[in-house]
């Protein structure tokens, strides 16, 4: 079975999508539509912008979404039997399996980016990557810091877990992780504490937008970040998408469940090759390619 997977924030690069724009009339139409929906020339930033311009909140998330979805839409062999996306990538996955339209997906992603930015400004937070420490040990250390917000945020692959929370809490946790035997505990250059309770203001804002968006019956199951389980039920998909901002990304578990349910080939659809690397570490036996 073919499983299509869609990347999240951090996989953007200058020049992304330019070749698609120049070589496909269908892609060009979708890029121009994206400019209209967003009300600014995002394609210009994607094609020629600096790394700093691409890191702007109102650009990064929509840019990765646009690139991923257009790749899927113009691919002649695109036939997913299951889909999943890492964090932001879940929105791309939901357009790919017909749950959301391109326009509605892009509007939600743009709103999500803005809501997350506001939440970051409200309560400063950060994230850190913890390498070579067992998941349960990481969770235990996070739980032991009771005076600050610190949670496991991204279960990326065995031996690679990202934690999220207040600046003080993350600094404290990093020291404890290293003392417990972590190979590394490295604070990441991110704007806030994503996938933690500090994103609650953004979750509330996005909940309203999601509830007022049309979701259609998907063509195949989406394995959602919140519970790593397949879903085709529109209401369940909505609730899981709302919960995603303050809950951890269970990527390791999602990939394991997809393989258990018959996935034999993972096809990464979007900029970069981050997910291919993660899938190989989670399930070394499966075939991994990009579109």
């Amino acid at each position: 079975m073919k499983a299509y997977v869609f990347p999240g924030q951090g996989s953007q690069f200058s020049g992304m999508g330019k070749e698609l724009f120049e070589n496909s009339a269908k892609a060009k139409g979708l890029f121009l539509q994206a400019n209209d929906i967003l009300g600014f020339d995002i394609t210009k930033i994607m094609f020629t912008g600096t790394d700093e311009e691409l890191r702007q909140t109102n650009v990064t998330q929509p840019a990765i979404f646009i690139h991923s979805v257009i790749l899927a839409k113009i691919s002649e062999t695109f036939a997913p039997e299951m889909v999943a996306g890492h964090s932001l990538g879940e929105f791309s996955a939901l357009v790919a399996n017909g749950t959301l339209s391109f326009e509605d997906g892009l509007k939600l992603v743009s709103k999500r980016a803005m809501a997350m930015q506001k939440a970051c400004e409200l309560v400063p937070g950060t994230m850190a990557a913890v390498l070579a420490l067992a998941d349960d040990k990481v969770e235990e250390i996070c739980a032991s810091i009771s005076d600050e917000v610190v949670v496991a945020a991204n279960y990326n692959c065995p031996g690679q877990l990202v934690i999220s929370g207040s600046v003080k809490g993350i600094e404290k946790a990093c020291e404890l992780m290293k003392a417990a035997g972590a190979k590394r505990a490295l604070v990441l250059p991110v704007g806030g504490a994503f996938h933690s309770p500090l994103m609650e203001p953004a979750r509330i804002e996005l909940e309203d937008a999601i509830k007022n968006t049309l979701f259609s019956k998907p063509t195949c199951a989406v394995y959602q970040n919140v519970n790593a389980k397949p879903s085709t039920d529109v209401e369940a998909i909505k609730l899981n998408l709302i919960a995603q901002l303050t809950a951890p990304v269970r990527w390791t578990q999602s990939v394991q469940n997809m393989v258990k349910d018959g996935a034999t080939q993972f096809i990464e659809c979007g900029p970069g090759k981050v997910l291919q690397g993660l899938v190989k570490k989670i399930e070394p036996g499966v075939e991994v390619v990009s579109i």
Side-chain angles (χ1 to χ4, degrees), residues 30 33-34 37-38 42 58 60-70 73 87-114 206 209-210 212-216 241:
L30 288 164
Q33 189 190 343
I37 294 164
L38 294 171
I42 193 167
N58 65 327
T60 313
Q61 294 192 33
I64 292 163
F65 169 88
I66 291 162
H67 191 242
S68 302
V69 170
I70 289 176
K73 285 193 175 289
S87 189
L88 152 76
E90 192 158 283
F91 288 82
S92 311
L94 289 170
V95 174
N97 77 351
T99 308
L100 287 169
S101 69
F102 176 64
E103 184 173 349
D104 286 340
L106 183 52
K107 283 178 180 171
L108 284 178
V109 165
S110 179
K111 188 164 270 284
R112 179 184 190 262
M114 299 304 194
L206 195 63
I210 286 171
N212 290 308
T213 299
L214 174 70
F215 280 59
S216 304
L241 204 55

Side-chain angles (χ1 to χ4, degrees), residues 232-289:
T232 52
D233 178 80
V234 169
E235 287 312 309
I237 289 170
K238 277 189 182 183
L239 291 174
N240 289 336
L241 204 55
I242 292 163
Q244 195 219 63
L245 273 184
T246 53
V249 174
R250 300 188 180 279
W251 189 252
T252 300
Q253 299 87 336
S254 297
V255 172
Q256 287 168 341
N257 286 340
M258 290 166 102
V259 169
K260 207 162 59 189
D261 293 344
T264 51
Q265 185 187 45
F266 281 79
I267 302 154
E268 182 165 8
C269 192
K273 293 183 175 180
V274 172
L275 297 184
Q276 288 184 67
L278 296 181
V279 171
K280 277 179 194 166
K281 285 176 183 162
I282 299 164
E283 290 285 350
V286 298
E287 188 190 345
V288 184
V289 295

Side-chain angles (χ1 to χ4, degrees), residues 73-155:
K73 285 193 175 289
I74 68 164
S75 165
E76 286 167 16
T77 57
F78 187 75
E81 291 164 283
M82 49 177 81
V83 294
H86 191 290
S87 189
L88 152 76
E90 192 158 283
F91 288 82
S92 311
L94 289 170
V95 174
N97 77 351
T99 308
L100 287 169
S101 69
F102 176 64
E103 184 173 349
D104 286 340
L106 183 52
K107 283 178 180 171
L108 284 178
V109 165
S110 179
K111 188 164 270 284
R112 179 184 190 262
M114 299 304 194
M116 285 168 79
Q117 178 62 30
K118 270 194 258 177
C120 292
E121 286 162 9
L122 216 59
V123 188
T126 192
M127 300 174 87
V130 181
L131 304 183
L133 197 62
D135 290 359
D136 56 357
K137 190 65 192 166
V138 175
E139 291 162 353
E140 188 189 305
I141 291 169
C142 289
S144 74
I145 303 168
S146 52
D147 54 338
E148 295 285 342
V149 173
V150 188
V151 294
N154 294 355
Y155 293 81

Side-chain angles (χ1 to χ4, degrees), residues 20-43:
L20 296 174
F21 183 90
E22 289 167 352
N23 297 324
S24 162
K26 189 177 179 183
K28 187 176 184 176
L30 288 164
F31 276 116
L32 296 176
Q33 189 190 343
N35 289 340
D36 288 344
I37 294 164
L38 294 171
F40 69 96
D41 196 346
I42 193 167
T43 51

Side-chain angles (χ1 to χ4, degrees), residues 178-198:
K178 285 177 202 162
K183 194 173 167 185
R184 292 180 82 180
L186 189 73
V187 177
L188 299 170
V190 295
F194 307 135
H195 299 288
S196 85
L198 297 183

